[in-house]
Amino acid sequence: MISRLWRGPLAMAALTLFGLLAALLGQTEGWWIVSWIALSIPLAMIAVRWARS
């Protein structure tokens, strides 16, 4: 069982991997938009945490 400590980082890693694969393998504009969204979510989360500290 995965500890609660690792759920967030693993979810961000999976989202980043999905965004990268969507950008590389997707050949239509829809996949590129999905990849931008998927790759911007971890960056937004980092920015929020940085602003709080």
Side-chain angles (χ1 to χ4, degrees):
M1 193 80 174
I2 296 174
S3 153
R4 285 186 62 195
L5 177 68
W6 292 102
R7 287 183 188 165
L10 285 175
M12 283 182 43
L15 191 60
T16 302
L17 182 63
F18 171 75
L20 290 172
L21 288 175
L24 290 172
L25 301 176
Q27 296 297 317
T28 61
E29 188 174 326
W31 281 108
W32 294 335
I33 293 170
V34 169
S35 72
W36 273 97
I37 292 169
L39 290 173
S40 66
I41 291 172
L43 291 176
M45 291 176 68
I46 291 169
V48 167
R49 293 291 273 172
W50 186 47
R52 287 183 182 175
S53 63

